[in-house]
Amino acid sequence: MNLKNEITQLKKEKNAVLLVHNYQKPEIQDIADELGDSLGLSRRAAKTNAEVIVFCGVKFMAETAKILSPQKTVLLPRPELEVGCPMADMVTAPQLKKLKDEHPEAKVVSYVNTNADVKAETDVCCTSSNAVEVVKNIDAEKIIFVPDKNLASYVKRFVTKEIIPWNGFCYVHERITKKEVLRAKEEYPEALLIVHPECRPEVIDLADEVLSTGGMVRRAKESSRNKFLIGTEEGILYRLKKENPQKEFYTAGTPKMCAGMKRPTLQDVYLALKDELNPVEIPEAIMKRARRSLEAMLNYTG
Ligand code: 13P
Ligand code: SF4
């Protein structure tokens, strides 16, 4: 059986679309209808005409698609194994409610890397590509920012507003150390260093550019530079190399992998689509409130 052909056939029969994050395995990236970062994939989920969305990413991404397109069936391949984002689980809705009670004048900006019930307690969501813009534009001088402390501290570089950060982090980006990035820069002194804003502040200090994964893809294409050091999950290097065969890309330090992102296989996508496995379900009341914060983000930043 040729899995790629079977998936293409099933997509047609079921009027399905395959949304794939930039960190996914190469063979999954190759069959994407849309390959992108959290913001790009959320936008596509919000406006697709397809009846079924197969989401190859982690759970919070599939949930975001469901919240923005509640009448669609959203499937998350590989249901039997954990495909979560550990950072998303670092803040819970009761913890956020408590923080809101302590700071009644603050507004809440939540990274999309959160669970649906946390989004329901949020004023405006953000992604790595629009966090600064959202915080600048939100109508408050005091902002509770959850869950990523590194993204919060990156945003703080651009605003005078008070930011109350949560103490969460991404274990993948946290493992990128200043020491190894300095070593990589020594090895490739002519390379442009692009890192994700989930990196530690001391790594961000070394970077030429700080971008979302979608921003990295655009920057690499437009740049006249030929060598790039990339500070994020290693999966994106496949796309960067494929789309820019004449340029060179290296991880800034040893390659770092996100276990949840690497779960889905072609077989999983095929089975999910064929049997409509693991549809994302979120209680209506949470979905309604979470949608407000996601739509506020899309309205703020287009
Ligand atoms: P992007 O939105 O930049 O793709 O980031 C998603 C993510 O989970 C990064 O770790
Ligand atoms: Fe979550 Fe980090 Fe994996 Fe992104 S790379 S999904 S933030 S654990």
Side-chain angles (χ1 to χ4, degrees):
M1 180 165 66
N2 181 320
L3 281 173
K4 279 190 186 175
N5 292 347
E6 295 291 324
I7 291 167
T8 309
Q9 186 57 32
L10 281 169
K11 276 198 319 192
K12 259 189 228 146
E13 277 167 31
K14 300 198 174 224
N15 185 18
V17 72
L18 200 63
L19 306 188
V20 176
H21 188 266
N22 288 322
Y23 295 158
Q24 292 280 299
K25 288 179 174 153
E27 60 271 30
I28 305 288
Q29 294 195 24
D30 284 343
I31 56 166
D33 292 301
E34 176 98 22
L35 178 61
D37 65 6
S38 307
L39 184 62
L41 296 175
S42 306
R43 283 193 182 127
R44 177 73 187 257
K47 64 169 201 247
T48 181
N49 291 322
E51 285 162 64
V52 176
I53 297 172
V54 182
F55 210 113
C56 296
V58 285
K59 194 176 106 208
F60 77 80
M61 295 181 173
E63 279 186 354
T64 300
K66 180 69 183 174
I67 294 165
L68 288 168
S69 273
Q71 67 293 4
K72 311 264 157 75
T73 301
V74 179
L75 306 171
L76 184 61
R78 201 67 185 244
E80 79 282 12
L81 282 171
E82 185 52 47
V83 285
C85 162
M87 172 159 61
D89 295 329
M90 287 180 186
V91 66
T92 65
Q95 286 170 324
L96 178 53
K97 274 190 206 162
K98 186 166 172 280
L99 196 58
K100 281 165 68 169
D101 288 344
E102 286 163 16
H103 302 279
E105 71 285 27
K107 288 218 166 151
V108 179
V109 175
S110 292
Y111 195 22
V112 279
N113 301 37
T114 42
N115 294 311
D117 55 350
V118 168
K119 290 187 175 77
E121 294 297 329
T122 294
D123 292 297
V124 187
C125 288
C126 72
T127 73
S128 58
S129 60
N130 61 20
V132 173
E133 210 179 339
V134 166
V135 170
K136 273 188 183 164
N137 285 323
I138 196 168
D139 179 21
E141 285 306 309
K142 198 170 179 178
I143 317 287
I144 293 171
F145 192 101
V146 298
D148 187 7
K149 64 175 179 186
N150 291 336
L151 184 60
S153 104
Y154 177 67
V155 169
K156 183 63 193 151
R157 297 175 187 228
F158 301 91
V159 298
T160 50
K161 295 182 178 187
E162 182 183 353
I163 295 185
I164 302 158
W166 193 253
N167 199 23
F169 61 90
C170 162
Y171 76 98
V172 180
H173 290 86
E174 194 79 356
R175 284 182 187 158
I176 303 175
T177 64
K178 179 178 176 178
K179 198 170 157 198
E180 64 178 343
V181 175
L182 280 172
R183 212 179 299 133
K185 271 168 78 85
E186 246 174 64
E187 198 176 349
Y188 301 104
E190 69 284 35
L192 191 74
L193 173 63
I194 312 179
V195 310
H196 197 274
E198 288 175 18
C199 288
R200 296 162 177 267
E202 66 267 27
V203 168
I204 289 193
D205 287 340
L206 299 173
D208 297 304
E209 310 243 359
V210 182
L211 295 166
S212 73
T213 63
M216 291 179 184
V217 168
R218 286 187 291 277
R219 190 73 191 93
K221 208 170 272 180
E222 292 158 9
S223 174
S224 55
R225 302 282 278 271
N226 279 319
K227 277 191 187 154
F228 299 84
L229 277 169
I230 302 296
T232 194
E233 211 268 357
E234 57 85 45
I236 196 173
L237 268 84
Y238 173 72
R239 178 173 184 184
L240 292 170
K241 288 178 183 169
K242 186 176 165 185
E243 294 184 1
N244 306 279
Q246 74 294 2
K247 299 182 180 179
E248 293 173 35
F249 299 91
Y250 304 95
T251 53
T254 56
K256 308 292 187 297
M257 253 193 221
C258 171
M261 281 286 182
K262 290 295 188 279
R263 292 271 187 248
T265 61
L266 281 179
Q267 173 85 1
D268 296 323
V269 174
Y270 166 72
L271 290 176
L273 202 46
K274 179 167 82 66
D275 299 330
E276 303 204 4
L277 297 175
N278 199 31
V280 175
E281 278 162 25
I282 303 166
E284 185 53 40
I286 288 180
M287 190 126 90
K288 221 168 137 187
R289 293 175 63 214
R291 192 173 311 127
R292 277 206 298 260
S293 60
L294 279 167
E295 286 180 346
M297 169 183 82
L298 296 177
N299 290 338
Y300 264 47
T301 58

